[in-house]
Amino acid sequence: MSYAGTGNEKAVAASDLNRTHVGLTVSFQADDFTVVFGRIGAIARKEGGVTLVLAEVEGTGGLPSHYSLPPAQQVYVQPDMLTNTETTIKDLFGKVQENLRSHKGDQRPDTM
């Protein structure tokens, strides 16, 4: 099996995961036969690897709640809807400001 995420997920190397990723939904290939989907509860960086702890998994159906990953392993992060919305609003606001500035010079004095 070779898992490569879905179209809306962003690939992030395990070593690049940080506190901003805690709480986000991720997917990754844990071994040759297992693809894991879950929400990050904690991230621990250790020499030679990264441990992901999944939130709300402990004791659920015999699934492990933590996975040790090599630093270069790709973890696929679902986009954070709040951050995406905030970015979109900021981008639109910037375009409106730019548009208003460019039209400011187009004003002509009223002639009577």
Side-chain angles (χ1 to χ4, degrees):
M1 175 187 308
S2 180
Y3 182 70
T6 62
N8 66 334
E9 293 176 316
K10 179 182 175 189
V12 177
S15 62
D16 292 337
L17 293 172
N18 59 49
R19 70 183 72 205
T20 64
H21 295 100
V22 173
L24 297 181
T25 302
V26 295
S27 60
F28 57 92
Q29 188 167 343
D31 58 39
D32 289 341
F33 309 103
T34 309
V35 174
V36 176
F37 301 91
R39 195 163 43 86
I40 297 177
I43 301 165
R45 293 184 193 182
K46 300 184 288 186
E47 190 173 321
V50 176
T51 298
L52 284 185
V53 180
L54 299 180
E56 303 172 15
V57 174
E58 192 66 41
T60 307
L63 294 173
S65 62
H66 62 281
Y67 294 86
S68 293
L69 305 174
Q73 169 135 4
Q74 294 297 307
V75 175
Y76 300 93
V77 180
Q78 290 258 337
D80 174 12
M81 296 310 283
L82 182 60
T83 301
N84 283 351
T85 302
E86 186 178 301
T87 301
T88 300
I89 291 169
K90 284 180 182 176
D91 289 346
L92 288 173
F93 184 70
K95 288 179 184 177
V96 168
Q97 279 186 317
E98 185 178 307
N99 199 3
L100 288 173
R101 284 185 191 127
S102 68
H103 289 314
K104 200 173 192 178
D106 291 345
Q107 295 176 354
R108 293 182 214 138
D110 292 330
T111 56
M112 290 191 190

